[in-house]
Amino acid sequence: MPPDSRDPKDLPVLATAIDGKAEIIGSGDNDLRADDDLRGVMASYSIQLLGVHSFLKYLDEGDG
């Protein structure tokens, strides 16, 4: 079961990330990135929520 999100349309994305054992969700969706509680819950699954620029920076640094 995915964690609560301010936008119910995000639930399939969160559930898929958890089930697929994703490390990162890169998104321009402010509901995902600005929700500190959601970020904490997803971190408990070892999933980071990154904005597009942060995700691209992550890739540039060779960590991806």
Side-chain angles (χ1 to χ4, degrees), residues 1-60:
M1 182 79 167
D4 288 331
S5 174
R6 293 189 268 196
D7 184 352
K9 294 178 195 169
D10 293 334
L11 296 179
V13 173
L14 301 172
T16 300
I18 292 168
D19 290 345
K21 298 183 179 16
E23 295 178 16
I24 295 173
I25 297 175
S27 176
D29 185 332
N30 288 333
D31 280 327
L32 287 177
R33 294 182 294 111
D35 186 336
D36 290 334
D37 291 334
L38 179 60
R39 292 172 75 87
V41 171
M42 295 306 287
S44 73
Y45 291 99
S46 299
I47 299 172
Q48 296 180 66
L49 298 176
L50 299 178
V52 175
H53 292 124
S54 295
F55 180 67
L56 292 174
K57 182 178 177 183
Y58 172 86
L59 292 176
D60 276 347

